[in-house]
Amino acid sequence: MRLAFLCSLFLLCTCVSAQQETQRSPTSDQLIEQLDQADTDGERYGILYELTGQLLESGRRADQELSLNFSKQLYTTAQRMKDAKLMGPAAYTLALAYRAQRDERNTDKFMAEAVTQAMRAGDADLIINAVAERTRLAARNQNYREATRINQEALDYFTRNGSKDNNIEALRARLETERATLQRRRQEVERETQGLTNEVSRLEQERAQLQGNNQLLLQENTVRSRQLEASSEQLAVRSQELTQTQEAKAAIERKVAQTRQEIKELSREALEQKTLATEAREMLAQEALVRQSAEMQAERAATQLYIAAGAGLALLLLALTFFSRFRVKQRAAKQLAVANEALQQAREQSDNLLENILPKDIAKELKSTGKAQARQFPDATVLFCDFVNFTKTAESLGAEALVQELDVCFKAFDAIVDRYEGVEKIKTIGDAYMVASGLSSRKSMPNDIVRAALEMQRFLVAEGEKRASLGLPYFTGRIGLHTGPVVAGVVGARKFAYDIWGDTVNVASRIESKSLPGKVNISETTYNLIRYRFRCTYRGKVEAKNKGMLDMYFVEEELVGQT
């Protein structure tokens, strides 16, 4: 019994402790509910600050995306309160949310804003943390000069306003480290530059030397060729003389045979006298033959020497020829690389043109398969923009001026749409301009297309003021948006076009027709998706043709400043 009582008491204490812990640290869902019920900016700021801290610490990707949205609301709330002590932590929290999204540009931007506000509020710890984060980003991008400047500004602030010695010493040590890194990098760059300069000079000298050697070899080759031709002519002459000598030797041998025959017929005395004379003549003839053979051998050796020198020169010229061909192949390879690069650029231009006409996924599918399958998208947002009193304005403008003004407006709309990823221009129908978002497998909110609609209205207002100051007619526009399912696909074989169909398109057209000049009118479905990001005005139920009574809202402005 005692053991059972102790176990029950332990479980009761555990439940009470968990309840107290829950009361001390509300969950993110509870904080979001409290945020919807907050009445003042001070209360909203406190809830948002705790909520973004919890979401950033969770480490989950979905929570990180939510933390970015709530951090922007925190920063906007702090801006409305105009309190530097609150704006500094809000900017720092927004920078941490961008860091979780790996957005370095906005991380550095809001870290700088946090440093500025912290200096105004005298928050030394926030200055140290924000400066450390900015230094880390600059060092990772190898921008050591910027890292040195950031630390120097913080050190100057602490020196002017006075601070704890450990803060100043930490910043001074970090500043010295960044300066040393910057000096080391500058020295490395100077050494690399000097090395490249020396290498270029050496290559220029080698090129000049090779050109000079090539010229000398060509001249020497000409001389050797002439010498070889002369030696060949002399060899031919000597060969002819040797042939004549051999013929003379054969004649002498025949004469000797004839003489021997005569000896047999002579007397001994006459034979002896004739023998002596014959031997003398034979000795003289043999001496002449030996002398001619020696001369022929000497000439043959000289000729062989010339032939060997000519063969060596020919091998050298052959090597130079191969080297020249190698250089020619190198230049040809470079020219081929340039041609391939030009071909790649042309291919990229063609791909860019196709992607300007169609969404990227559809363009890739067309290039790979030659056709594009129709797809359904459950959460697409369709935008229609139409000019008010277009027919009347067109009559006062004239045909050429009308087309020119339409071109100006539609080009501006194209530029606005291109700035938002995921927002696609569908087509223009007369004076109507049609845009859609959510036409991809990745789930997205209609925030960007609403921003594009507000920008389109701001452009029309600015263009109208400019033309009104010149006494010229101008356009005013109505814009309407609706979110829902659509079917998208490519129609046509040659002049194909990307289009969307469905009841969502019809409702968006009705929403646009019930808008007012200069206004962005949205349906209740779209409003429920963007109400935390944009300030909207409820219009009540408005009758739409063939659709009955629909709840509609005017979008006034974005709650968070554009980043």
Side-chain angles (χ1 to χ4, degrees):
M1 292 295 292
R2 182 178 297 175
L3 179 59
F5 175 73
L6 291 175
C7 291
S8 301
L9 182 60
F10 175 75
L11 290 174
L12 179 61
C13 293
T14 303
C15 294
V16 171
S17 176
Q19 184 177 3
Q20 291 176 351
E21 182 65 25
T22 302
Q23 292 175 355
R24 287 196 300 270
S25 300
T27 64
S28 59
D29 293 335
Q30 292 173 343
L31 288 172
I32 292 174
E33 292 178 0
Q34 295 176 12
L35 180 62
D36 291 335
Q37 298 173 1
D39 296 328
T40 64
D41 284 339
E43 184 180 357
R44 188 176 292 105
Y45 182 92
I47 296 172
L48 285 171
Y49 189 80
E50 184 175 358
L51 176 59
T52 53
Q54 287 187 7
L55 293 174
L56 285 172
E57 290 176 358
S58 71
R60 295 192 299 269
R61 183 172 182 83
D63 288 347
Q64 290 175 357
E65 293 179 355
L66 285 175
S67 68
L68 179 60
N69 294 331
F70 287 118
S71 296
K72 291 179 179 179
Q73 295 184 30
L74 176 65
Y75 181 72
T76 303
T77 303
Q79 283 182 323
R80 288 199 300 268
M81 298 177 71
K82 298 180 180 180
D83 189 344
K85 293 182 179 180
L86 299 180
M87 290 181 67
Y92 184 77
T93 302
L94 182 54
L96 292 179
Y98 275 118
R99 185 183 69 179
Q101 298 293 325
R102 298 182 179 178
D103 188 343
E104 293 186 358
R105 183 179 67 83
N106 281 316
T107 299
D108 184 69
K109 174 183 176 180
F110 285 100
M111 282 294 176
E113 177 66 15
V115 172
T116 302
Q117 299 299 334
M119 287 181 177
R120 292 176 182 174
D123 190 344
D125 292 336
L126 182 57
I127 294 173
I128 294 296
N129 294 334
V131 167
E133 181 63 25
R134 293 195 71 198
T135 302
R136 183 186 66 81
L137 288 174
R140 192 169 72 176
N141 294 324
Q142 297 184 354
N143 193 351
Y144 303 109
R145 189 184 301 277
E146 179 66 12
T148 303
R149 185 191 66 78
I150 293 169
N151 284 276
Q152 184 65 52
E153 287 181 355
L155 182 60
D156 292 342
Y157 168 79
F158 284 122
T159 302
R160 288 193 309 270
N161 297 276
S163 181
K164 297 179 180 179
D165 294 337
N166 55 356
N167 289 336
I168 296 177
E169 291 301 326
L171 283 173
R172 183 174 289 111
R174 189 182 301 158
L175 179 61
E176 292 300 327
T177 301
E178 297 300 332
R179 283 178 175 172
T181 303
L182 180 61
Q183 182 64 24
R184 184 169 58 255
R185 180 57 183 165
R186 182 184 293 112
Q187 292 175 355
E188 291 176 357
V189 172
E190 290 177 353
R191 286 196 298 270
E192 292 175 358
T193 303
Q194 185 62 35
L196 290 174
T197 302
N198 295 336
E199 183 66 16
V200 170
S201 299
R202 186 182 65 79
L203 291 175
E204 289 292 335
Q205 292 176 358
E206 290 183 357
R207 185 170 67 85
Q209 185 176 1
L210 286 173
Q211 289 178 349
N213 292 339
N214 188 25
Q215 188 66 27
L216 291 175
L217 287 173
L218 290 176
Q219 295 176 356
E220 187 175 354
N221 182 36
T222 302
V223 174
R224 294 297 183 184
S225 298
R226 293 175 182 175
Q227 291 178 351
L228 185 60
E229 291 177 358
S231 299
S232 299
E233 293 177 357
Q234 292 178 0
L235 182 61
V237 172
R238 293 300 182 182
S239 298
Q240 186 177 1
E241 291 179 352
L242 180 60
T243 302
Q244 293 176 354
T245 302
Q246 289 176 349
E247 292 177 354
K249 182 179 179 181
I252 292 173
E253 289 177 351
R254 289 195 299 272
K255 186 66 173 175
V256 169
Q258 183 180 358
T259 302
R260 287 176 179 175
Q261 185 63 29
E262 292 177 355
I263 288 173
K264 293 179 180 179
E265 299 175 356
L266 294 175
S267 61
R268 182 172 182 175
E269 183 178 359
L271 182 59
E272 290 178 353
Q273 292 178 356
K274 194 169 184 178
T275 299
L276 292 173
T278 301
E279 288 178 355
R281 286 195 298 271
E282 288 179 356
M283 291 178 64
L284 292 175
Q286 288 178 356
E287 289 178 358
L289 289 173
V290 170
R291 186 171 60 253
Q292 290 179 354
S293 298
E295 291 177 355
M296 291 294 293
Q297 289 178 356
E299 291 176 356
R300 187 177 292 120
T303 302
Q304 291 176 351
L305 179 62
Y306 290 145
I307 291 173
L313 184 60
L315 290 175
L316 181 60
L317 290 175
L318 184 62
L320 289 174
T321 301
F322 284 142
F323 178 73
S324 299
R325 288 183 177 179
F326 174 74
R327 294 296 297 273
V328 170
K329 286 182 178 179
Q330 280 188 329
R331 288 194 294 270
K334 290 181 180 179
Q335 294 175 354
L336 181 60
V338 172
N340 289 335
E341 184 177 359
L343 180 61
Q344 182 64 26
Q345 291 177 354
R347 185 180 293 110
E348 291 177 355
Q349 291 177 355
S350 176
D351 293 343
N352 291 335
L353 180 60
L354 188 61
E355 291 179 358
N356 285 335
I357 299 174
L358 304 175
K360 292 183 179 180
D361 295 341
I362 303 300
K364 290 180 180 179
E365 186 176 355
L366 275 176
K367 287 188 290 184
S368 60
T369 64
K371 59 182 181 179
Q373 297 291 335
R375 301 180 183 179
Q376 291 185 347
F377 299 100
D379 297 312
T381 301
V382 181
L383 178 153
F384 276 98
C385 177
D386 196 4
F387 294 130
V388 181
N389 296 329
F390 177 76
T391 304
K392 182 178 179 181
T393 306
E395 291 175 355
S396 62
L397 278 174
E400 185 175 355
L402 171 65
V403 173
Q404 183 177 0
E405 184 61 17
L406 279 176
D407 183 60
V408 170
C409 293
F410 285 166
K411 281 183 178 179
F413 290 174
D414 291 343
I416 291 172
V417 170
D418 289 342
R419 286 198 290 270
Y420 295 99
E421 184 178 2
V423 180
E424 298 285 348
K425 174 185 176 182
I426 303 301
K427 61 184 175 181
T428 58
I429 311 169
D431 63 321
Y433 191 87
M434 182 178 178
V435 181
S437 68
L439 303 179
S440 66
S441 57
R442 183 170 62 88
K443 184 175 179 61
S444 62
M445 302 291 286
N447 298 325
D448 283 343
I449 195 170
V450 174
R451 292 191 185 99
L454 291 174
E455 281 198 48
M456 292 163 68
Q457 287 290 21
R458 287 196 292 269
F459 167 79
L460 289 176
V461 170
E463 179 70 10
E465 292 176 352
K466 182 176 68 175
R467 292 182 63 85
S469 64
L470 299 175
L472 298 175
Y474 57 89
F475 291 131
T476 56
R478 296 186 303 261
I479 295 180
L481 296 94
H482 177 59
T483 303
V486 300
V487 176
V490 177
V491 294
R494 289 179 298 169
K495 294 184 179 181
F496 50 81
Y498 183 73
D499 207 346
I500 57 177
W501 302 270
D503 188 61
T504 300
V505 179
N506 298 328
V507 174
S509 178
R510 300 293 185 268
I511 296 291
E512 177 272 321
S513 66
K514 292 300 179 179
S515 182
L516 296 178
K519 289 292 186 178
V520 176
N521 193 28
I522 62 174
S523 66
E524 184 178 19
T525 305
T526 306
Y527 168 74
N528 289 330
L529 295 173
I530 69 164
R531 61 180 179 174
Y532 296 109
R533 300 298 299 275
F534 297 88
R535 184 171 64 83
C536 301
T537 301
Y538 180 56
R539 302 181 61 192
K541 291 186 178 293
V542 181
E543 184 177 2
K545 182 179 179 181
N546 298 329
K547 298 298 177 182
M549 304 298 290
L550 300 177
D551 289 313
M552 298 186 188
Y553 298 79
F554 280 144
V555 181
E556 304 297 343
E557 62 179 355
E558 188 173 1
L559 293 177
V560 180
Q562 187 174 0
T563 59

